[in-house]
Amino acid sequence: MLILTPGALNGMENAIEVACPLACGTRRSGYLGAAVNLSPLAGKPADASILVNVPRLMTGYYVARPNPHVPEQRVVFGTSGHRGSSFRTSFNEWHILAITQAICLYRKRHEIDGPLFLGMDTHALSAAASASALEVLAANEVEVMLPESGDYTPTPAVSHAIITYNRGRQTGLADGIVVTPSHNPPEDGGFKYNPPHGGPAESGATAAIEAEANRLLREGLDGLKRIPFERALRAPTTRAYDYLGAYVADLGSVLDMDAIRGAGLKLGVDPLGGAGLRYWPRIAERYGLDLTIVNDAVDPAFRFMSVDWDGKLRMDPSSPYAMRGLITLKDKFDIAFACDPDHDRHGIVTRSAGLLPSNHYLAVAIHHLFTNRREWREDVGVGKTVVSSSMIDRVTARLGRRLHEVPVGFKWFVDGLLSGRLGFVGEESAGASFLRRNGTVWTTDKDGIIACLLSAEITARGGRDPGEVYRELTRDLGNPVYERIEAPLAPAQRAMLQQLSPDDVRVTDLAGEQVRQVLTAAPGDGNPLGGIKVVTANAWFAVRPSGTEDVYKLYAESFRGTDHLRRIQEEAQALVTRTLARAPS
C-alpha cells in the first residue's frame, strides 16, 4: 500500500515513452506501455527528410546570441556537462566562449596550472566549439594538448591522458575538456570539463563554472579573453599530443589481448561514425586481431544510421533500432560491438542473443572480471548506479564482493576508480569502466572501447559469448525484467521530485511484497538521489528527473515476471501522479 503525505508533489499526462524495452524487446508508448506508437521509420535507413541541415546548424552557432534571461538559453551543466543545439539557441558560440573563460578562472582559483587535454567527437557542432574554446584557452595562456593531425578524440582517451600525465605528480596537474553530446542527435552539441582526477567534474565545480559562465553571458562577455583561431593554433602554449598512440599502446595493461588474439575470434565493430574510427584499425594491427570495421563513414548528418524508436537519428549503441545494421550482421562474427560518437558507451551484439541489454552485459562483465582478475585485491568492490539492475547485486553477492551504489552520473565513481577501491563500475545507460589488470586506475570516465573489447576477452577465455553467460547466470540467480519509462516534467515538479524524503512517502508494500527500503540517498556514498527508490525482496522502482531533458524517469524491475512488473509500474505511477499534483502550477 502506498500512502502519500500532504507534504509531498503536479498533474502530468498519462502519455509515457519506454526508453529501455523489456529484455530488449519492442519499445512502447502510451499509459503504462499500452500499445503503440513506434515511429514507422524506426530501424530503417535515414530518409533525407529527417537529416539535419548542417549549414543552417553552423550558421546558428555563430549568428544566434543566447538570452541569459531565458532559462532554456542559459548555461546548464547536467549529468554530462552543458548540452543543447544552435537551433534552440542553447549551444552557440557565446555559450562556449563563456564556459571556457569560466573554466580558465576556475583553474586559476584552484591552482590547476598543468596542460589541458582538449578532445572532440564527430558531431557537427563539436569542431566549431573546439575552435572557439582554443581561442579562449590560448588567450588565457593555458597549455593545450591538441590531438595530432587535428583528429577526433574519444572521451576515454582524454581521461587516460589526464591520468597518465598526473600519475606521481603533486603540482602542475593536468585537466581536460571533451566536446561531445555523447549519443545525442546530430543537431546537438555538448561541452564537459574533466578536472585533474580525469573524470566528469563534481557538482561543486560544475556549479561554479555554470554560475561564472552565465554571469559572462549577462554582461555581454565583458572580461572575455580571446585571440583569433590561427593565432591560437600557432601559440607557444598549443601543443600536439598522440592520444591514439598512447591509448592503444596501453590496452594490454587493462585487457587480456593475448587471449583475444590466441582465440582467433572473428570480430566486428561499428564506430557509428564516431571519434574512435581510427582507433580500431590501430588496435587490430598492434594486437593481431581479426577485426572488421563494418562502417567507416564519418558524416556530420549521420545519414548512415538507422532511425531510432521515435523517428530521430540517435547514435545510441544500446538501442535495437539505431543498432539494426550491426544486429543484422551478428552471425558473421563471433562477437560484434559498437560505440557512440565519443566512444564512452558500448553496445554488444552476440550470436546467441543479438544486442545484449546493457544491464545484462554489466552483470556478465562483473562476473568475468572478478573471476579472472587474480591480481585485484580482495577488498575491491563493484560500483553501480541506483537505477541499474539488481542482477548486479546478486552477482556481486555471489562473488563475495562489496556493492557500492551511487546516484545517477559517472562522476560518483571517480574516487573509487582513482583509489582502486572499485574494480568495475557501470550504469544502465551502457557506460562502464574498470581497473587495469594490476588493480590500478585505467580511466575515471566511461570507456566504451575497453567495454567492447572485454566482450571479446569473455568469449575468448570462456568459449561462450556474453549472451550465453548471462543465460547461465539467470539459471542460478533469477531472470529479471526491467523497464525505464519517461514522461514530461515541469520545472516546479522537478524541484519537488528532487527534494522528496522518505517521510513524504509512507510505503508498506509494493505489488504484494513488503517494502524493505525507501531511499532518497545512495547506500554507497550517502549522496542525494534527486528522487526516490523503493525496494522489496524481488523488485524495486525509482523515480528521478532527467539531468538533461524536461522529463522524469521511472525505472522498475522485477524478478517475478512481466505481470508483476506491470503492477509495480501501476502503483509507482499512481504515487508519482498524486505526488506531482501537489506541485505549484
Side-chain angles (χ1 to χ4, degrees):
M1 179 176 176
L2 303 175
I3 305 173
L4 192 71
T5 63
L9 285 144
N10 193 332
M12 73 196 295
E13 302 168 9
N14 286 340
I16 55 179
E17 32 184 69
V18 175
C20 183
L22 269 175
C24 217
T26 57
R27 293 178 185 265
R28 305 169 317 181
S29 62
Y31 185 67
L32 289 177
V36 255
N37 283 342
L38 264 187
S39 167
L41 301 175
K44 297 180 180 178
D47 185 82
S49 64
I50 70 168
L51 296 179
V52 65
N53 184 325
V54 175
R56 180 169 164 253
L57 183 75
M58 302 314 302
T59 300
Y61 175 81
Y62 288 108
V63 172
R65 295 288 179 265
N67 183 345
H69 302 293
V70 176
E72 294 78 14
Q73 297 183 23
R74 296 174 189 154
V75 172
V76 178
F77 273 78
T79 52
S80 296
H82 175 75
R83 292 187 184 178
S85 175
S86 65
F87 289 157
R88 302 188 296 273
T89 322
S90 53
F91 193 94
N92 302 84
E93 186 179 40
W94 273 39
H95 290 109
I96 303 310
L97 297 174
I99 295 170
T100 308
Q101 184 64 50
I103 289 172
C104 290
L105 294 172
Y106 179 86
R107 296 179 97 242
K108 285 186 178 180
R109 291 192 193 106
H110 293 270
E111 299 181 341
I112 302 169
D113 54 4
L116 183 143
F117 290 87
L118 178 61
M120 66 176 181
D121 78 355
T122 53
H123 278 78
L125 289 170
S126 294
S130 182
S132 299
L134 180 62
E135 292 176 348
V136 176
L137 293 166
N140 283 271
E141 299 181 340
V142 174
E143 184 181 357
V144 179
M145 308 300 276
L146 293 181
E148 291 183 345
S149 305
D151 210 354
Y152 302 109
T153 309
T155 287
V158 174
S159 181
H160 178 270
I162 295 170
I163 289 170
T164 300
Y165 183 88
N166 289 340
R167 186 174 292 118
R169 295 177 185 267
Q170 300 299 319
T171 60
L173 298 178
D175 55 359
I177 291 173
V178 190
V179 188
T180 174
S182 189
H183 64 297
N184 280 25
E187 64 267 23
D188 283 8
F191 200 84
K192 68 176 185 175
Y193 174 62
N194 287 30
H197 56 53
E202 57 276 359
S203 301
T206 56
I209 293 168
E210 178 184 303
E212 181 64 26
N214 284 319
R215 182 194 67 77
L216 285 163
L217 290 181
R218 288 193 303 272
E219 297 178 5
L221 298 183
D222 184 36
L224 175 75
K225 294 182 180 180
R226 181 186 187 188
I227 62 175
F229 181 65
E230 289 301 324
R231 278 183 56 199
L233 276 179
R234 296 194 304 269
T237 52
T238 301
R239 307 181 188 283
Y241 179 78
D242 184 9
Y243 289 90
L244 191 160
Y247 180 90
V248 171
D250 209 14
L251 280 172
S253 71
V254 71
L255 292 153
D256 190 346
M257 303 302 289
D258 291 337
I260 299 173
R261 178 179 60 252
L265 298 177
K266 188 171 181 58
L267 308 175
V269 60
D270 189 343
L272 299 183
L277 179 60
R278 288 189 58 233
Y279 283 60
W280 293 108
R282 184 76 70 86
I283 291 168
E285 179 184 7
R286 181 176 180 91
Y287 296 101
L289 306 184
D290 182 4
L291 177 67
T292 300
I293 299 174
V294 303
N295 166 34
D296 62 0
V298 174
D299 174 7
F302 291 90
R303 69 189 72 239
F304 50 79
M305 287 296 301
S306 298
V307 180
D308 207 0
W309 68 277
D310 56 356
K312 296 182 180 181
L313 288 182
R314 192 177 286 109
M315 291 65 71
D316 182 357
S318 66
S319 164
Y321 305 101
M323 286 280 282
R324 183 63 58 86
L326 189 58
I327 293 171
T328 60
L329 299 175
K330 71 181 182 67
D331 292 330
K332 293 188 175 182
F333 303 104
D334 295 303
I335 192 80
F337 31 79
C339 291
D340 62 339
D342 72 318
H343 273 48
D344 71 342
R345 299 182 188 223
H346 59 269
I348 310 301
V349 176
T350 67
R351 281 184 173 176
S352 65
L355 178 64
L356 201 60
S358 55
N359 272 314
H360 295 194
Y361 183 60
L362 297 182
V364 171
I366 292 163
H367 168 76
H368 172 82
L369 286 168
F370 284 88
T371 302
N372 289 279
R373 293 301 190 261
R374 303 297 184 185
E375 292 186 52
W376 288 5
R377 302 192 315 262
E378 289 298 320
D379 62 345
V380 170
V382 173
K384 61 165 274 195
T385 56
V386 292
V387 297
S388 298
S389 174
S390 287
M391 188 66 163
I392 293 171
D393 305 41
R394 296 187 178 193
V395 169
T396 302
R398 189 170 76 167
L399 290 165
R401 295 287 179 160
R402 170 180 54 87
L403 184 69
H404 184 73
E405 197 169 0
V406 303
V408 173
F410 214 79
K411 62 187 177 184
W412 305 112
F413 295 131
V414 169
D415 287 344
L417 287 169
L418 204 58
S419 65
R421 289 183 290 106
L422 295 178
F424 177 93
V425 299
E427 53 187 13
E428 54 83 28
S429 54
S433 190
F434 46 93
L435 297 180
R436 296 170 185 265
R437 296 163 72 183
N438 67 4
T440 61
V441 62
W442 167 255
T443 61
T444 47
D445 214 329
K446 296 187 286 285
D447 191 334
I449 297 174
I450 63 167
C452 287
L453 289 170
L454 181 66
S455 70
E457 180 188 316
I458 292 168
T459 306
R461 294 282 293 268
R464 298 159 298 161
D465 71 40
E468 295 171 301
V469 177
Y470 185 76
R471 276 202 301 271
E472 290 184 9
L473 291 175
T474 62
R475 285 198 287 269
D476 295 335
L477 302 175
N479 191 12
V481 286
Y482 177 104
E483 272 188 341
R484 187 180 86 199
I485 294 169
E486 297 185 358
L489 187 68
Q493 298 171 336
R494 170 185 292 273
M496 295 197 79
L497 266 184
Q498 289 176 326
Q499 295 167 13
L500 272 177
S501 74
D503 292 336
D504 292 322
V505 184
R506 295 194 300 271
V507 187
T508 58
D509 64 80
L510 175 65
E513 291 194 333
Q514 183 178 355
V515 168
R516 290 183 169 183
Q517 290 178 298
V518 178
L519 303 171
T520 56
D525 59 12
N527 284 301
L529 301 183
I532 196 163
K533 181 176 182 179
V534 177
V535 184
T536 70
N538 294 293
W540 60 270
F541 78 83
V543 182
R544 57 174 288 272
S546 167
T548 58
E549 302 173 85
D550 292 327
V551 298
Y552 82 84
K553 300 183 180 184
L554 192 159
Y555 308 78
E557 183 176 50
S558 172
F559 280 80
R560 293 176 55 187
T562 304
D563 291 343
H564 190 242
L565 180 68
R566 292 286 166 263
R567 289 182 60 191
I568 294 165
Q569 291 172 319
E570 289 169 4
E571 295 185 18
Q573 183 77 5
L575 178 146
V576 174
T577 301
R578 297 202 305 264
T579 300
L580 291 178
R582 288 164 171 79
S585 58

PDB file of all heavy atoms in Angstrom, residues 362 366 382-385 388 392 410 413 424-429 431-433:
ATOM      1  N   LEU A 362      26.489  -5.680 -18.127  1.00  0.00           N
ATOM      2  CA  LEU A 362      27.189  -5.261 -16.915  1.00  0.00           C
ATOM      3  C   LEU A 362      27.342  -6.431 -15.950  1.00  0.00           C
ATOM      4  O   LEU A 362      28.406  -6.631 -15.355  1.00  0.00           O
ATOM      5  CB  LEU A 362      26.443  -4.118 -16.227  1.00  0.00           C
ATOM      6  CG  LEU A 362      26.301  -2.799 -17.003  1.00  0.00           C
ATOM      7  CD1 LEU A 362      25.573  -1.763 -16.156  1.00  0.00           C
ATOM      8  CD2 LEU A 362      27.649  -2.264 -17.457  1.00  0.00           C
ATOM      9  N   ILE A 366      30.993  -8.082 -14.776  1.00  0.00           N
ATOM     10  CA  ILE A 366      31.383  -8.196 -13.363  1.00  0.00           C
ATOM     11  C   ILE A 366      31.749  -9.643 -13.034  1.00  0.00           C
ATOM     12  O   ILE A 366      32.777  -9.919 -12.398  1.00  0.00           O
ATOM     13  CB  ILE A 366      30.242  -7.692 -12.465  1.00  0.00           C
ATOM     14  CG1 ILE A 366      30.074  -6.176 -12.628  1.00  0.00           C
ATOM     15  CG2 ILE A 366      30.488  -8.053 -11.003  1.00  0.00           C
ATOM     16  CD1 ILE A 366      28.755  -5.652 -12.123  1.00  0.00           C
ATOM     17  N   VAL A 382      32.378  -3.424  -6.323  1.00  0.00           N
ATOM     18  CA  VAL A 382      31.639  -3.196  -7.569  1.00  0.00           C
ATOM     19  C   VAL A 382      30.807  -1.934  -7.409  1.00  0.00           C
ATOM     20  O   VAL A 382      30.099  -1.768  -6.414  1.00  0.00           O
ATOM     21  CB  VAL A 382      30.712  -4.386  -7.891  1.00  0.00           C
ATOM     22  CG1 VAL A 382      29.827  -4.071  -9.099  1.00  0.00           C
ATOM     23  CG2 VAL A 382      31.524  -5.656  -8.123  1.00  0.00           C
ATOM     24  N   GLY A 383      30.879  -1.036  -8.394  1.00  0.00           N
ATOM     25  CA  GLY A 383      30.076   0.178  -8.369  1.00  0.00           C
ATOM     26  C   GLY A 383      28.934   0.113  -9.371  1.00  0.00           C
ATOM     27  O   GLY A 383      29.121  -0.340 -10.507  1.00  0.00           O
ATOM     28  N   LYS A 384      27.763   0.551  -8.953  1.00  0.00           N
ATOM     29  CA  LYS A 384      26.606   0.634  -9.851  1.00  0.00           C
ATOM     30  C   LYS A 384      25.769   1.846  -9.471  1.00  0.00           C
ATOM     31  O   LYS A 384      25.810   2.312  -8.329  1.00  0.00           O
ATOM     32  CB  LYS A 384      25.737  -0.626  -9.777  1.00  0.00           C
ATOM     33  CG  LYS A 384      25.159  -0.901  -8.407  1.00  0.00           C
ATOM     34  CD  LYS A 384      24.024  -1.939  -8.440  1.00  0.00           C
ATOM     35  CE  LYS A 384      22.694  -1.266  -8.731  1.00  0.00           C
ATOM     36  NZ  LYS A 384      21.525  -2.145  -8.428  1.00  0.00           N
ATOM     37  N   THR A 385      25.030   2.371 -10.424  1.00  0.00           N
ATOM     38  CA  THR A 385      24.073   3.420 -10.116  1.00  0.00           C
ATOM     39  C   THR A 385      22.800   2.784  -9.559  1.00  0.00           C
ATOM     40  O   THR A 385      22.509   1.611  -9.821  1.00  0.00           O
ATOM     41  CB  THR A 385      23.738   4.250 -11.364  1.00  0.00           C
ATOM     42  OG1 THR A 385      23.259   3.369 -12.392  1.00  0.00           O
ATOM     43  CG2 THR A 385      24.951   5.002 -11.858  1.00  0.00           C
ATOM     44  N   SER A 388      20.444   0.868 -11.932  1.00  0.00           N
ATOM     45  CA  SER A 388      20.913  -0.295 -12.683  1.00  0.00           C
ATOM     46  C   SER A 388      20.322  -1.568 -12.079  1.00  0.00           C
ATOM     47  O   SER A 388      19.870  -1.590 -10.943  1.00  0.00           O
ATOM     48  CB  SER A 388      22.443  -0.361 -12.662  1.00  0.00           C
ATOM     49  OG  SER A 388      23.009   0.776 -13.277  1.00  0.00           O
ATOM     50  N   ILE A 392      22.945  -7.180 -10.834  1.00  0.00           N
ATOM     51  CA  ILE A 392      24.311  -6.820 -10.439  1.00  0.00           C
ATOM     52  C   ILE A 392      24.516  -7.087  -8.955  1.00  0.00           C
ATOM     53  O   ILE A 392      25.556  -7.608  -8.540  1.00  0.00           O
ATOM     54  CB  ILE A 392      24.585  -5.346 -10.780  1.00  0.00           C
ATOM     55  CG1 ILE A 392      24.600  -5.164 -12.302  1.00  0.00           C
ATOM     56  CG2 ILE A 392      25.888  -4.868 -10.154  1.00  0.00           C
ATOM     57  CD1 ILE A 392      24.656  -3.723 -12.751  1.00  0.00           C
ATOM     58  N   PHE A 410      28.244   9.415 -13.768  1.00  0.00           N
ATOM     59  CA  PHE A 410      29.511   8.704 -13.647  1.00  0.00           C
ATOM     60  C   PHE A 410      30.480   9.384 -12.687  1.00  0.00           C
ATOM     61  O   PHE A 410      31.424   8.763 -12.193  1.00  0.00           O
ATOM     62  CB  PHE A 410      30.161   8.545 -15.031  1.00  0.00           C
ATOM     63  CG  PHE A 410      30.926   7.267 -15.195  1.00  0.00           C
ATOM     64  CD1 PHE A 410      30.271   6.076 -15.451  1.00  0.00           C
ATOM     65  CD2 PHE A 410      32.305   7.241 -15.093  1.00  0.00           C
ATOM     66  CE1 PHE A 410      30.973   4.888 -15.603  1.00  0.00           C
ATOM     67  CE2 PHE A 410      33.017   6.063 -15.234  1.00  0.00           C
ATOM     68  CZ  PHE A 410      32.351   4.880 -15.486  1.00  0.00           C
ATOM     69  N   PHE A 413      31.584   7.729  -9.401  1.00  0.00           N
ATOM     70  CA  PHE A 413      32.511   6.593  -9.385  1.00  0.00           C
ATOM     71  C   PHE A 413      33.981   7.008  -9.346  1.00  0.00           C
ATOM     72  O   PHE A 413      34.864   6.168  -9.161  1.00  0.00           O
ATOM     73  CB  PHE A 413      32.316   5.725 -10.636  1.00  0.00           C
ATOM     74  CG  PHE A 413      30.980   5.039 -10.730  1.00  0.00           C
ATOM     75  CD1 PHE A 413      30.240   5.111 -11.905  1.00  0.00           C
ATOM     76  CD2 PHE A 413      30.477   4.326  -9.667  1.00  0.00           C
ATOM     77  CE1 PHE A 413      29.013   4.466 -12.008  1.00  0.00           C
ATOM     78  CE2 PHE A 413      29.246   3.683  -9.757  1.00  0.00           C
ATOM     79  CZ  PHE A 413      28.516   3.750 -10.942  1.00  0.00           C
ATOM     80  N   PHE A 424      35.152  -2.492 -10.914  1.00  0.00           N
ATOM     81  CA  PHE A 424      34.293  -2.283 -12.075  1.00  0.00           C
ATOM     82  C   PHE A 424      33.177  -1.348 -11.663  1.00  0.00           C
ATOM     83  O   PHE A 424      32.613  -1.472 -10.571  1.00  0.00           O
ATOM     84  CB  PHE A 424      33.694  -3.612 -12.549  1.00  0.00           C
ATOM     85  CG  PHE A 424      32.723  -3.462 -13.707  1.00  0.00           C
ATOM     86  CD1 PHE A 424      33.176  -3.592 -15.013  1.00  0.00           C
ATOM     87  CD2 PHE A 424      31.381  -3.192 -13.501  1.00  0.00           C
ATOM     88  CE1 PHE A 424      32.295  -3.449 -16.081  1.00  0.00           C
ATOM     89  CE2 PHE A 424      30.501  -3.043 -14.559  1.00  0.00           C
ATOM     90  CZ  PHE A 424      30.964  -3.182 -15.857  1.00  0.00           C
ATOM     91  N   VAL A 425      32.836  -0.403 -12.555  1.00  0.00           N
ATOM     92  CA  VAL A 425      31.703   0.488 -12.309  1.00  0.00           C
ATOM     93  C   VAL A 425      30.889   0.562 -13.581  1.00  0.00           C
ATOM     94  O   VAL A 425      31.421   0.519 -14.695  1.00  0.00           O
ATOM     95  CB  VAL A 425      32.161   1.890 -11.873  1.00  0.00           C
ATOM     96  CG1 VAL A 425      32.955   1.834 -10.580  1.00  0.00           C
ATOM     97  CG2 VAL A 425      32.982   2.589 -12.955  1.00  0.00           C
ATOM     98  N   GLY A 426      29.554   0.672 -13.421  1.00  0.00           N
ATOM     99  CA  GLY A 426      28.708   0.724 -14.605  1.00  0.00           C
ATOM    100  C   GLY A 426      27.357   1.339 -14.322  1.00  0.00           C
ATOM    101  O   GLY A 426      26.903   1.397 -13.179  1.00  0.00           O
ATOM    102  N   GLU A 427      26.726   1.804 -15.387  1.00  0.00           N
ATOM    103  CA  GLU A 427      25.389   2.378 -15.304  1.00  0.00           C
ATOM    104  C   GLU A 427      24.515   1.794 -16.400  1.00  0.00           C
ATOM    105  O   GLU A 427      25.003   1.409 -17.456  1.00  0.00           O
ATOM    106  CB  GLU A 427      25.450   3.905 -15.384  1.00  0.00           C
ATOM    107  CG  GLU A 427      26.207   4.447 -16.578  1.00  0.00           C
ATOM    108  CD  GLU A 427      26.390   5.951 -16.526  1.00  0.00           C
ATOM    109  OE1 GLU A 427      26.151   6.563 -15.473  1.00  0.00           O
ATOM    110  OE2 GLU A 427      26.780   6.523 -17.558  1.00  0.00           O
ATOM    111  N   GLU A 428      23.216   1.763 -16.153  1.00  0.00           N
ATOM    112  CA  GLU A 428      22.293   1.076 -17.049  1.00  0.00           C
ATOM    113  C   GLU A 428      22.257   1.665 -18.461  1.00  0.00           C
ATOM    114  O   GLU A 428      21.811   1.011 -19.396  1.00  0.00           O
ATOM    115  CB  GLU A 428      20.882   1.088 -16.460  1.00  0.00           C
ATOM    116  CG  GLU A 428      20.331   2.456 -16.082  1.00  0.00           C
ATOM    117  CD  GLU A 428      19.733   3.226 -17.240  1.00  0.00           C
ATOM    118  OE1 GLU A 428      19.246   2.586 -18.185  1.00  0.00           O
ATOM    119  OE2 GLU A 428      19.770   4.466 -17.200  1.00  0.00           O
ATOM    120  N   SER A 429      22.743   2.890 -18.632  1.00  0.00           N
ATOM    121  CA  SER A 429      22.730   3.525 -19.947  1.00  0.00           C
ATOM    122  C   SER A 429      23.969   3.170 -20.766  1.00  0.00           C
ATOM    123  O   SER A 429      24.373   3.921 -21.649  1.00  0.00           O
ATOM    124  CB  SER A 429      22.612   5.043 -19.795  1.00  0.00           C
ATOM    125  OG  SER A 429      23.624   5.551 -18.949  1.00  0.00           O
ATOM    126  N   GLY A 431      27.260   2.677 -19.900  1.00  0.00           N
ATOM    127  CA  GLY A 431      28.548   3.269 -19.598  1.00  0.00           C
ATOM    128  C   GLY A 431      29.258   2.461 -18.531  1.00  0.00           C
ATOM    129  O   GLY A 431      28.635   2.039 -17.551  1.00  0.00           O
ATOM    130  N   ALA A 432      30.556   2.226 -18.707  1.00  0.00           N
ATOM    131  CA  ALA A 432      31.303   1.430 -17.736  1.00  0.00           C
ATOM    132  C   ALA A 432      32.794   1.722 -17.856  1.00  0.00           C
ATOM    133  O   ALA A 432      33.273   2.248 -18.858  1.00  0.00           O
ATOM    134  CB  ALA A 432      31.067  -0.071 -17.959  1.00  0.00           C
ATOM    135  N   SER A 433      33.524   1.374 -16.804  1.00  0.00           N
ATOM    136  CA  SER A 433      34.983   1.348 -16.838  1.00  0.00           C
ATOM    137  C   SER A 433      35.456   0.358 -15.779  1.00  0.00           C
ATOM    138  O   SER A 433      34.669  -0.051 -14.904  1.00  0.00           O
ATOM    139  CB  SER A 433      35.593   2.734 -16.589  1.00  0.00           C
ATOM    140  OG  SER A 433      36.995   2.711 -16.853  1.00  0.00           O
TER     141      SER A 433
END
